[in-house]
Amino acid sequence: MTNPKLPRGVLRPAAAAGHFELLSRAPSESLAQYVEFHWIVRWDLRGRSPHEQKVLSHPNVHLIFEEPEPAVYGVQRGLFERRLAGAGQVLGVKFRPGAFRPLLGSPVLDLVDRVVPAAELFGPAVTRVQQTVLGGADNAAMVAAADDFLHGLIADRAAGPDLDPAAREAAEIVARITDSPTLVRVDQLAAEVGLSVRSLQRLFAEYVGASPKWVLRRARLHEAATRAEQEAGIDWSALAADLGYSDQAHLIRDFTAAVGAPPARYARD
């Protein structure tokens, strides 16, 4: 089984590539403000052992069309684990940070570390759509069915096709963090974006679903895991300094707590 380059957060990607296929597809242009991309996972492990995949999640909400029912996954602050067995497929909608708030109608913090049946939030229509999405003849048909549902959802729940200013601001700040893994302090971030620390925390609770401190820390851990996967003979002390850790021991503690293995052992594996 082959995979395009797996995205950041999918741990041990070389081993993962032999167990499932992960594809990403852009949403329709009119949904681009709300949706970062759609992702499709397929696997066929019939006659093989189940595969346990671990993911270091991002600060995004996902709507996932999967058996037995579609579900909304809030920001998962711990290590996300998924067991794949037999054969199957799912389609996920990765919302941009901040963009799920207008559709939820309440603070995104309410969803943190939760998995909620989508029908509880959007009614039985989303369950009917699931049959069309997962029954699609090809990737394009699956994405088109998901897009049709999202267009109706936005028309029904959002104030308009454009994101509100606070949602756009939240997305821009998260992008700033993701692009700058050496940005480490909440007060530094607040000063850069022209907000007080308290205002920044309120914005993230309302629109992102995780604290600024967590998002900053997660960006550094994504960078550390990527470097461990791609580089041989890493100078862990230098990497710790590059990522703004006080010392190598701090990086090791942070990485081990999040990933479940020290960075040197993760790199060897």
Side-chain angles (χ1 to χ4, degrees), residues 54-95:
K54 297 179 179 180
V55 178
L56 204 57
S57 303
H58 294 258
N60 300 80
V61 175
H62 295 254
L63 167 61
I64 302 182
F65 294 96
E66 61 184 348
E67 297 294 350
E69 61 181 356
V72 171
Y73 288 67
V75 175
Q76 304 294 305
R77 294 177 299 181
L79 188 63
F80 180 75
E81 299 185 47
R82 183 66 179 258
R83 185 176 189 269
L84 303 179
Q89 66 178 359
V90 303
L91 181 143
V93 180
K94 184 180 182 181
F95 289 90

Side-chain angles (χ1 to χ4, degrees), residues 14 24 36 38 52 63 71-72 78 119 139 148-149 151 174 176-177 203 206 222 225 238 244 258 268:
S24 63
E36 196 167 318
H38 300 294
E52 301 284 346
L63 167 61
V72 171
N139 296 334
D148 285 346
F149 172 74
H151 279 121
V174 171
R176 180 189 289 260
I177 295 171
L203 177 68
E206 187 77 19
H222 280 148
R268 287 195 306 270

Side-chain angles (χ1 to χ4, degrees), residues 188-237:
Q188 177 190 5
L189 174 63
E192 286 194 11
V193 300
L195 294 173
S196 69
V197 169
R198 183 61 189 137
S199 294
L200 182 64
Q201 291 169 335
R202 284 197 298 266
L203 177 68
F204 271 53
E206 187 77 19
Y207 283 88
V208 179
S211 70
K213 182 178 180 179
W214 182 92
V215 178
L216 287 164
R217 177 173 176 264
R218 184 50 56 98
R220 290 193 289 170
L221 290 171
H222 280 148
E223 179 67 17
T226 299
R227 297 271 287 273
E229 292 154 4
Q230 296 177 350
E231 300 178 18
I234 294 176
D235 183 336
W236 296 108
S237 179

Side-chain angles (χ1 to χ4, degrees), residues 39-185:
W39 52 268
I40 299 170
V41 171
R42 291 191 180 90
W43 65 95
D44 189 346
L45 298 176
R46 288 172 293 187
R48 300 171 60 188
S49 299
H51 173 67
E52 301 284 346
Q53 182 58 48
K54 297 179 179 180
V55 178
L56 204 57
S57 303
H58 294 258
N60 300 80
V61 175
H62 295 254
L63 167 61
I64 302 182
F65 294 96
E66 61 184 348
E67 297 294 350
E69 61 181 356
V72 171
Y73 288 67
V75 175
Q76 304 294 305
R77 294 177 299 181
L79 188 63
F80 180 75
E81 299 185 47
R82 183 66 179 258
R83 185 176 189 269
L84 303 179
Q89 66 178 359
V90 303
L91 181 143
V93 180
K94 184 180 182 181
F95 289 90
R96 294 189 182 280
F100 198 72
R101 172 64 177 83
L103 308 181
L104 182 63
S106 62
V108 182
L109 184 63
D110 294 344
L111 293 176
V112 70
D113 295 330
R114 295 179 62 203
V115 179
V116 181
E120 291 186 11
L121 301 178
F122 305 135
V126 69
T127 304
R128 294 192 295 270
V129 169
Q130 161 142 313
Q131 298 173 3
T132 304
V133 171
L134 296 185
D138 53 33
N139 296 334
M142 294 174 70
V143 169
D147 276 359
D148 285 346
F149 172 74
L150 293 173
H151 279 121
L153 189 65
I154 291 168
D156 181 52
R157 300 208 172 196
D162 295 330
L163 281 177
D164 67 70
R168 286 199 302 272
E169 183 179 28
E172 290 167 359
I173 295 173
V174 171
R176 180 189 289 260
I177 295 171
T178 302
D179 293 341
S180 305
T182 55
L183 189 62
V184 298
R185 297 198 324 271

